[in-house]
Amino acid sequence: MRILTGLLALCLSGFSFAGALPDSPHLYVKGTSFIQVQPDIATIRVAITEKQKSLPTAKENVDKIMAKRHRNR
């Protein structure tokens, strides 16, 4: 049984050397590819930033900008 196990281990370890690169000249080919397509859905996010010393003034300014943008649609 030990002899059979030893022969099996020897055969299996031989396969690990089969994947090594050869010593003689050889070719190695590697390639990549990509396809550019138009998206089905686009998500656009917009943010309005206002810096003021008082929060109510900043909110009022942002509300005015949003109302102006909404009317121009």
Side-chain angles (χ1 to χ4, degrees), residues 4-61:
L4 182 60
T5 306
L7 286 175
L8 183 61
L10 182 64
C11 289
L12 291 177
S13 65
F15 290 125
S16 65
F17 293 113
L21 294 175
D23 293 333
S24 61
H26 63 279
L27 291 176
Y28 178 77
V29 179
K30 180 179 179 181
T32 59
S33 176
F34 69 93
I35 297 174
Q36 190 171 8
V37 296
Q38 292 188 358
D40 294 335
I41 297 173
T43 303
I44 300 172
R45 294 191 175 121
V46 178
I48 298 173
T49 305
E50 178 74 23
K51 293 183 180 182
Q52 294 288 335
K53 289 186 178 187
S54 68
L55 180 62
T57 306
K59 183 183 181 317
E60 185 179 325
N61 290 344

